[in-house]
Amino acid sequence: MSTQYSVIGRTAILRLDNPPVNGLGHATRQGIVQGLHRALDSGDVDAVVLTGREGFFSAGADITEFGTPKTIAEPTLGDVIAALEAADKPVVAAIDGTCFGGGLELALGAHYRVVTSKSRIGLPEVNLGLVPGAGGTQRLPRLVGAAVAADMIGGGAPRRARELGDLPGQRLFDRVVDGDVMAAALELAAEMAAVRPLPRVRDLSGGSGDAAAVSVIRERLGRRSRGFLAPAAALALVEKAATTPFEEGLAEERKTFLELMNGEQSAALRHAFFAERAARKVPDVPLGTSARRVDTVAVIGAGTMGGGIAMNFLDAGIPVTVVESSQEALDRGLDIMRRNYQRQVETGKLTAEGLEQRMALLTPTLDYADVSDSDLVIEAAFEDMDVKRSVFTRLDEVAKPGAILASNTSTLDIDAIAAVTGRPGDVLGMHFFSPANVMKLLEIVRGAKTADDVLVTAMAVGQRIGKTGVVARVCDGFIGNRMLAKYRDAAMELLRAGATPADIDSAAETFGFAMGPFRTSDLAGNDIGWAIRKRRYAEDPGMPRDEIADALCEMGRFGQKVGAGWYDYKPGSREAIPSPVVDELLASFHTQHGTELRTFEADEIVQRLVFALVDEGARILDEGIALRASDIDVVYIAGYGFPRYRGGPMFYADTVGAAHVLSGLRRFHGDDGWEPSPLLTRLADEAGTFN
C-alpha cells in the first residue's frame, strides 16, 4: 500500500509510503482519499495527521504519469486536496524533510501545518516547464504574500522552512519545530479537535502584496529565464490570486497547467530531467560495484582550470593539494581563488568565515611528493600530449597504490596518457568546463582499461561536488568538443559565405543558446581552439587551414581576456562590440577568394548550426562514444549553453524529424563531398527517433 493508516489515541495517522520520494501517483492519491474517508467515518477518531516517511513528506507528482491517462484519472490531486479541505475533522500536515510541488499543494489543503525547521519547501514546477496545477498559485500567495509566492513559484527554488516561518505575518505554518514533528502534530491535532470552523486557505484574502516587488521579480526572471514560458505564466497566476475569486483563479491555473503540460517546452524539460537521471547509470558496470574512498584530492596546475577545479572540492569540504611548477604561478593561482571567493562574500553568497574555512583546506606546493597521500589526483596542465605524459609519468612514481589519476584534457587520448603509467586501470578523464567552479557538466572519459570502480568513483565524486556527470569513450574531443568542432565548422562556413559574427550569434541566441558561437569563443579564448587546430594540422598535413580564425589569432585577438577577439571589448566589460578590424579581415578574405556574398535568414543559420551538431552526435552514438542519445543532450545543455527548454540537440532532432534534419544537411552541403551519418540516414528512412 502506498498509504499506511494507523491510530494514536483519537487521531488517525495517514502516512504516505511510496518510496523513494513519496510521489503522488494515482495509487497514492487513492490511498489518501480512502484513508481520509475511513478516519472521517470512525467515531473513535477526532482528527487526522497526514505525514510522510524517511525525509520526504512528498516530492510532488509522479512525473512519469504526465501525458498519460493517469494524469487526469480520479481522484486527481485537486480532488484529494478538495477532500482534505471539506473534511469535518481537523487535518494536520506534519512535514519533515522535502515538501515540493504537489506535496506542498497537498499540505496547503490541510487545515493546519506543522514543519521541522530544516525541511525544504518549494514549488519547482517551472523547472519542468509547468506551473503548479492543484492550487499552488492560488493558495500560497494567501499565506506568504504575493511577492514571496512569486519568487518561489516563478523562480522554482526551494526555501528552508525556518526561513519561511520567520517571514513577517506568514501564515504558511502553524508551528515550526526543531524536534519531533509527529509529537507536535499530534499535540496540535488534539488542541484543534473541537475547534470550529476549520480554517481553509481558500477562504483567506487573495494574496495582495507589493506589486512593485512582483514587477522586480518579473524583470529578474525575464533576464534569467529568457525563452522559458512557464515563469511568466506562473507570475500571472500569482497576480490573479489577488484580483479574482479563488475558484476562478483555480480554473485558470488548471487551464494553464494543461496547456503547458501538452506543449513542446514541458516535454523537452521533462526529457532533460530524466536524461540527467539516466546519465548516472552505466549499463555494463556490475550492480553493487563499490566506489573507492575519496577523502583528499590533489590538483596539478593552479591556472584558471586548476584553480576552478580545486574550488569545487573546497566548497564540498574536501582538502586539496595544489601543485605548480613555480612559486610565481602558484601565488597567482591562489590569489585568483581568494579573489573569486571574495566576490562571493561581497554578493552575499558566502560568509567571510566560509572563505577562510575553504582556503584553510588548501595546501599549495611545488613538490609532487606532496600528493603521495591523495586519493584522487586531477591533472589540469597545458593541453599538450607531451606535457600530459610528463605529468602522469611523475604521478605514477609518487601517487599511492589505489589512487585515481584523472586528466582534465578536453580532447586528448586518455589511453595514450594512461599508457605511460604502470596502472592504466586507475586512469580516466575528468573533463571540467570553464569556469570549472561554475559550470555543471563533468565529462567522465572511460579509457580502454579504466577499472569499473574507478568509473563509479568518478561518477560519485561528480555528484558530491554538484556536477552533472556524463560518461564518454575515448575519441578526439570526446562528446562535447568533437560535436563543437562541427558546430564551429558550420559557423565558419556561414562566415565565409557572407554572414557576420553578429548575424550568427544573434540567430543562435534568439533560438535560445546562452551565447552564440563567436561570443562563446571569445569567452573561452580563441587561442585554445588555435592550439587544437595547430595540433591537428601537425597530425594531418592535408587538413584544410582555417584561414579566418588563424589570421584572427595571429593578430593576437584571443578574446575577452585581451579585449579583442571576434568582437571588441571595453576594459572590464563583457559587452561584445562589432569590430571594424574583424570587418576588414572578412572583407579581405572575401576579396581574395572572390566570395559571392549571401545573406542568411535566422532560421537557416540556426538549422545549419544545430543540424551539424545532430549529425555528429549521430556518429558519436553509432560509434559507442556516448551511451545514449540523451547523454548527448545532457552534455549540450549542461556544458554548451543549448537551450534546456528545447531538450538538447538530439531531442530537438526528434521533434522536427530525422528526415527534415537529413534534408536540410543535404541542402546545406550541396556537392562538397559530405556524407551523412549512417544512423541519421537509417532513422530518416524508418521515421525513427534518437531518444
Side-chain angles (χ1 to χ4, degrees), residues 295-368:
D295 295 322
T296 57
V297 172
V299 178
I300 310 301
T304 301
M305 283 302 299
I309 291 169
M311 288 177 69
N312 288 288
F313 293 96
L314 299 177
D315 289 344
I318 301 171
V320 178
T321 299
V322 174
V323 182
E324 255 298 352
S325 57
S326 72
Q327 190 64 49
E328 179 185 5
L330 190 58
D331 291 343
R332 183 169 57 248
L334 297 182
D335 181 60
I336 291 172
M337 292 169 66
R338 180 172 283 277
R339 281 191 277 121
N340 284 339
Y341 279 133
Q342 184 60 44
R343 280 195 289 270
Q344 293 182 28
V345 172
E346 292 166 358
T347 56
K349 296 178 181 178
L350 182 68
T351 65
E353 181 184 15
L355 184 158
E356 297 304 331
Q357 287 173 344
R358 284 161 173 75
M359 295 304 292
L361 291 170
L362 189 61
T363 301
T365 183
L366 302 176
D367 190 348
Y368 271 77

Side-chain angles (χ1 to χ4, degrees), residues 5-14 35-50 84 86-92 111-112 185-199:
Y5 182 93
S6 61
V7 177
I8 297 178
R10 296 190 63 80
T11 300
I13 312 298
L14 297 183
L36 178 65
H37 287 160
R38 180 177 175 183
L40 298 180
D41 291 342
S42 172
D44 296 325
V45 170
D46 296 331
V48 179
V49 169
L50 177 65
L84 296 180
D88 57 5
K89 297 177 183 180
V91 178
V92 180
H111 303 115
Y112 305 99
L186 288 167
E187 180 182 0
L188 181 61
E191 289 177 16
M192 300 300 170
V195 174
R196 299 292 185 278
L198 293 169

Side-chain angles (χ1 to χ4, degrees), residues 440-468:
K440 289 292 186 184
L441 180 62
L442 177 63
E443 245 183 346
I444 298 171
V445 185
R446 184 183 191 181
K449 296 184 179 179
T450 301
D452 288 341
D453 64 337
V454 169
L455 186 66
V456 167
T457 304
M459 295 290 285
V461 166
Q463 282 190 269
R464 189 173 168 189
I465 61 175
K467 300 299 184 187
T468 301

Side-chain angles (χ1 to χ4, degrees), residues 166 277 293 389 459 522 541:
D166 289 342
R277 285 188 173 185
R293 184 165 179 164
R389 283 172 167 157
M459 295 290 285
D522 275 358

Side-chain angles (χ1 to χ4, degrees), residues 530 533 546-558:
W530 193 30
R533 289 197 302 279
D546 193 331
E547 294 179 48
I548 300 174
D550 290 353
L552 188 82
C553 290
E554 287 163 3
M555 297 164 65
R557 295 182 66 92
F558 296 148

